[in-house]
Amino acid sequence: MTRQAFAAMAAGGPVLLDGATGSNLRVAGMPVGVPPERWVLDHPTALLDLQRAYVDAGSRILMAPTFSANRPALDRFGLAGELGALNAALVGLTREAAGGRALVAGDLSTLGQPLEPLGPISYGEAYDVYREQMEALAEAGADLLAVETLMGIDEAAAALDAAGAVCGLPVLCSFSVEADGTVPFGGTALEALLTAQELGAAAVGVNCSVGPDQLEAVVRTLAEAAAVPVIAKPNAGLPVIDELGRAVYTMGPRDFARHMAVLARAGASLLGGCCGSAPDYIRALAEVL
């Protein structure tokens, strides 16, 4: 997909993304502590059923479950040598689920630690991690790339620089922010937007962290300054921890959709759910919009 084609699609009205993947796979039986990429390929029906349900609910972009399929994360399970094969297989599985009715985004994540001088990762190391996975995702035939849950503006810069060196695919870039718009490793959502769109992001916004009821001011600030579409993909509210130590998200589909409609009016045009959401959340959002 070209950036121009993506811009035309986004200009046509709200575009629904999918909802959570990991929390739903855990409901489907994925244990804690296993490499999710390997578990998904060993249990493909769990992913296919989930993603097909998202498409049926109205999702037009599916995130392939490649969120942690980068070298440092895979190396913890001794799977770094399978990086290319894993990314290719997971993109292929998501394309099967999409069935020609939705686009497939190769999904990438935060590296989880600040870059130098605040943390142990150099800019060059971050660039290399993103470039290697992006090459695998582009070769696998992803329609676009999504770099999600970013916690630092400099890691977004490394990812966007890597994407520009690898391919011409559109890159969606979203940050985990607090309700006041601050980015965990420094800076604000507005500063993140201005940097990311300057470096070529096709869309910029927020995901994870908090619920949609806390993001109206942040989204409005982004939309007023954005030269690209704004993303809103928050959690289903804030979690509570149950007696078994599990995070339980208490915002139901109707309340989620109602608050997401507020974000759409504030200027977000790419809308979906993160932790705690499921296909019924996307269906409710489609109905409200």
Side-chain angles (χ1 to χ4, degrees):
M1 187 182 207
T2 66
R3 181 171 172 142
Q4 291 75 18
F6 173 81
M9 180 182 73
V15 175
L16 291 186
L17 308 172
D18 58 10
T21 298
S23 57
N24 288 294
L25 292 178
R26 292 225 166 83
V27 171
M30 184 176 73
V32 175
V34 303
E37 299 79 16
R38 174 58 61 203
W39 189 90
V40 166
L41 293 177
D42 289 340
H43 305 82
T45 301
L47 182 77
L48 291 171
D49 288 348
L50 175 65
Q51 292 187 323
R52 285 168 178 157
Y54 278 132
V55 177
D56 290 341
S59 296
R60 296 176 62 192
I61 298 176
L62 293 176
M63 306 295 175
T66 54
F67 186 78
S68 57
N70 59 60
R71 182 166 293 277
L74 291 175
D75 195 43
R76 290 196 288 271
F77 298 101
L79 295 174
E82 300 179 39
L83 185 150
L86 288 170
N87 279 277
L90 294 167
V91 168
L93 197 59
T94 299
R95 188 164 301 285
E96 181 181 346
R101 297 186 294 157
L103 297 171
V104 175
D107 203 27
L108 304 99
S109 77
T110 176
L111 300 181
Q113 299 181 85
L115 270 58
E116 294 177 344
L118 299 178
I121 304 174
S122 72
Y123 187 90
E125 289 169 335
Y127 174 91
D128 288 343
V129 169
Y130 284 121
R131 177 166 181 161
E132 181 180 32
Q133 188 179 6
M134 287 172 169
E135 286 176 340
L137 292 168
E139 290 175 4
D143 297 306
L144 62 160
L145 301 173
V147 192
E148 294 192 289
T149 324
L150 288 162
M151 301 177 74
I153 298 172
D154 45 4
E155 67 177 351
L160 289 165
D161 282 347
V166 167
C167 63
L169 295 177
V171 182
L172 315 186
C173 194
S174 60
F175 295 80
S176 175
V177 301
E178 300 300 328
D180 64 358
T182 57
V183 179
F185 294 161
T188 67
L190 178 58
E191 291 168 338
L193 165 86
L194 295 175
T195 298
Q197 69 182 18
E198 178 68 22
L199 291 174
V204 183
V206 294
N207 80 289
C208 203
S209 189
V210 297
D213 53 327
Q214 300 185 60
L215 288 173
E216 180 181 1
V218 174
V219 167
R220 192 176 302 281
T221 297
L222 295 182
E224 289 172 352
V228 295
V230 172
I231 303 163
K233 202 174 189 286
N235 292 342
L238 292 174
V240 295
I241 305 302
D242 68 10
E243 64 278 3
L244 298 177
R246 298 171 302 191
V248 177
Y249 293 84
T250 57
M251 184 178 287
R254 290 182 181 275
D255 282 344
F256 179 81
R258 177 170 56 85
H259 289 297
M260 289 297 292
V262 173
L263 300 187
R265 291 193 293 272
S269 57
L270 300 177
L271 301 114
C274 204
C275 303
S277 62
D280 54 344
Y281 287 69
I282 303 302
R283 183 174 293 105
L285 177 55
E287 292 170 356
V288 166
L289 293 180

